[in-house]
Amino acid sequence: MARILLAEDDDSMRDFLAKALNRAGHDVDAVADGEEGLDSLGETPGAYELLLTDIVMPGVDGIELARRAAQIDPGLKIMFITGFAAVALNAGSQAPNQAKVLSKPFHLRDLVDEVAKVVEAA
């Protein structure tokens, strides 16, 4: 399966999502914010297949994290999980064009299915 970097500032949501993705067979590194995410990406460029990030986080938000992650690793697939999908889809947001958006609330099965689709996409 995929090696995933999960950036989510809500502790319980982060733990919940990481456990679900691990149960689905993925290798997940979970971080609490965009700054930690950038640190993880910088430590081992190319180590992740997917960045799964919330959009609204303090400090470095998910869109900035995704933008900078795409510069660090152009082959990295990006997926946003958010209650603010319109922000990610806004042309002025500078979110990477290829990023997938999964709007909250969602079922864990939907998350696992969408992650599989994004990882398998060429």
Side-chain angles (χ1 to χ4, degrees):
M1 297 305 265
R3 181 127 191 254
I4 299 171
L5 178 60
L6 168 65
E8 167 63 63
D9 62 318
D10 181 286
D11 294 341
S12 59
M13 177 67 83
R14 184 176 58 254
D15 291 343
F16 188 63
L17 296 176
K19 286 177 185 173
L21 291 167
N22 280 321
R23 278 194 304 269
H26 299 289
D27 180 12
V28 180
D29 288 341
V31 297
D33 58 38
E35 198 65 47
E36 286 184 35
L38 288 172
D39 289 345
S40 293
L41 288 166
E43 288 172 9
T44 52
Y48 299 101
E49 293 172 67
L50 174 68
L51 169 63
L52 180 61
T53 181
D54 190 6
I55 290 179
V56 180
M57 295 186 291
V60 176
D61 67 15
I63 291 174
E64 179 66 11
L65 171 59
R67 190 184 67 71
R68 291 170 61 185
Q71 291 172 342
I72 293 168
D73 182 359
L76 182 67
K77 295 175 181 172
I78 298 167
M79 185 171 166
F80 294 112
I81 47 173
T82 186
F84 301 94
V87 174
L89 301 175
N90 179 341
S93 72
Q94 298 183 350
N97 291 335
Q98 76 280 11
K100 170 75 178 158
V101 179
L102 184 61
S103 296
K104 294 177 186 175
F106 52 79
H107 287 52
L108 285 180
R109 182 80 258 160
D110 295 334
L111 173 68
V112 170
D113 291 346
E114 288 301 319
V115 164
K117 287 178 192 174
V118 169
V119 168
E120 291 169 6

